[in-house]
Amino acid sequence: MASLSGRDLLSLSDLTLAELDHLLAFAADLKAGKSRPSFPQKVLGLLFRKASTRTRVSFSVAMYQLGGQVLDLHSGVTQVSRGEPTSDTARVLDRYLDVVAIRTFEQSEIQEFADYAAIPVINALTDLEHPCQILADLLTIQEEFKHLPGLTLAYLGDGNNVAHSLLLGCALVGMNVHIASPAGYEPDPGIVDQARALLGSRGKILITQDPETAVNQAQVLYTDVWASMGQESMADQRIPLFQSYQVNRELLQKASPEAIVLHCLPAHRGEEITHEVIEGPASRVWDQAENRMHAQKALLASVLAP
Ligand code: CP
Ligand code: NVA
């Protein structure tokens, strides 16, 4: 397996199958206490332009548990908010930090940062992708079903950043992906094509407007908010369009009897998921949230490795 030492993770498509499998196995070992890597003196910067609970805290705790330090660099406390160019910020932070996780709007901003910084740059969510989330999601699915290839994940709702990274990550490991979205809210066709190329003949990518078709035979139901960060002003107009994509008891009953329910969180109960389902026996959302920490610890230890 190629080393992840010094590597960026801007998209899930930056990983090969062997690298992703290794990260998931490493994360499982870390969670089980079978491995205790140590990176004293190393500093992680969190350069965030958007709110975050899980990503910020799980990255921070993971880095502390590796013996390193964390600098929380929300854009409001840096010159980023006053318009300092990304290329300048990147070349300066490159001289101080050992690794940086960036949460922003445009994928092109983290790409530009990575072009100017030699340190590993990790995508902590952009409008296009959320790769760290999907590392934790795949770990959670693997814990449940003991294997990944051949399983079917159905994603209901907005064809957003989480849907894009799920398409790429699930396709890479050989899972079928069914996406059900209202017309006009489908995932990016370029990402769908990339996922189809990754999956090849191992399975099927289905893009549909029909939620019942999507959940048929699915072992994993997944949803996310109907209006992502930056789209809050469109939330009210989306609610009626997305109503039939809600993950509720009726839809869950149409999936495989062993189906589990995932949500990256934060959740809007009564919108994309019901209180009954997120708090019910099929929900794995708290394990999924915990796994953010284990997966990102594996990622940090891998990119910081000498
Ligand atoms: N799922 C996720 O990324 O949560 P936060 O926005 O709280 O980091
Ligand atoms: N799609 C959501 C994910 C939040 C973790 C957003 O971008 O706001």
Side-chain angles (χ1 to χ4, degrees), residues 133-144:
Q133 176 68 52
I134 277 57
L135 296 180
D137 300 342
L138 292 173
L139 179 61
T140 310
I141 299 166
Q142 188 164 271
E143 285 174 346
E144 182 73 25

Side-chain angles (χ1 to χ4, degrees), residues 126-128 153-167 178-188 207-208 222-232 234-235 238-239 241-247 263-264 271-272:
T126 60
D127 291 347
L128 190 70
L153 178 141
Y155 174 93
L156 291 303
D158 189 24
N160 62 15
N161 44 12
V162 170
H164 290 158
S165 293
L166 278 170
L167 273 164
H178 298 173
I179 308 257
S181 309
Y185 296 92
E186 297 91 351
D188 181 277
I207 309 296
T208 174
Y222 198 120
T223 190
D224 183 16
V225 289
W226 291 339
S228 286
M229 289 182 276
Q231 302 173 334
E232 289 83 356
M234 293 181 265
R238 286 184 176 207
I239 288 174
L241 297 175
F242 280 77
Q243 205 59 58
S244 61
Y245 298 85
Q246 182 188 67
V247 175
H263 189 310
C264 56
E271 293 186 19
E272 75 275 3

Side-chain angles (χ1 to χ4, degrees), residues 51-55 103 130 133 229 264-266 292:
S52 169
T53 298
R54 280 144 289 272
T55 310
R103 171 168 284 202
H130 195 3
Q133 176 68 52
M229 289 182 276
C264 56
L265 304 176
R292 296 292 306 276

Side-chain angles (χ1 to χ4, degrees), residues 80-158:
V80 166
S81 59
R82 296 181 58 249
E84 183 166 13
T86 299
S87 52
D88 291 2
T89 308
R91 280 175 286 182
V92 172
L93 294 185
D94 180 63
R95 308 271 178 125
Y96 304 143
L97 300 171
D98 299 289
V99 53
V100 64
I102 299 177
R103 171 168 284 202
T104 191
F105 295 87
E106 299 290 330
Q107 184 78 10
S108 58
E109 185 183 338
I110 56 165
Q111 184 61 63
E112 185 181 1
F113 196 109
D115 289 343
Y116 281 90
I119 56 170
V121 178
I122 297 171
N123 180 349
L125 182 147
T126 60
D127 291 347
L128 190 70
E129 271 209 58
H130 195 3
C132 295
Q133 176 68 52
I134 277 57
L135 296 180
D137 300 342
L138 292 173
L139 179 61
T140 310
I141 299 166
Q142 188 164 271
E143 285 174 346
E144 182 73 25
F145 296 104
K146 313 300 173 210
H147 68 105
L148 296 171
L151 294 174
T152 297
L153 178 141
Y155 174 93
L156 291 303
D158 189 24

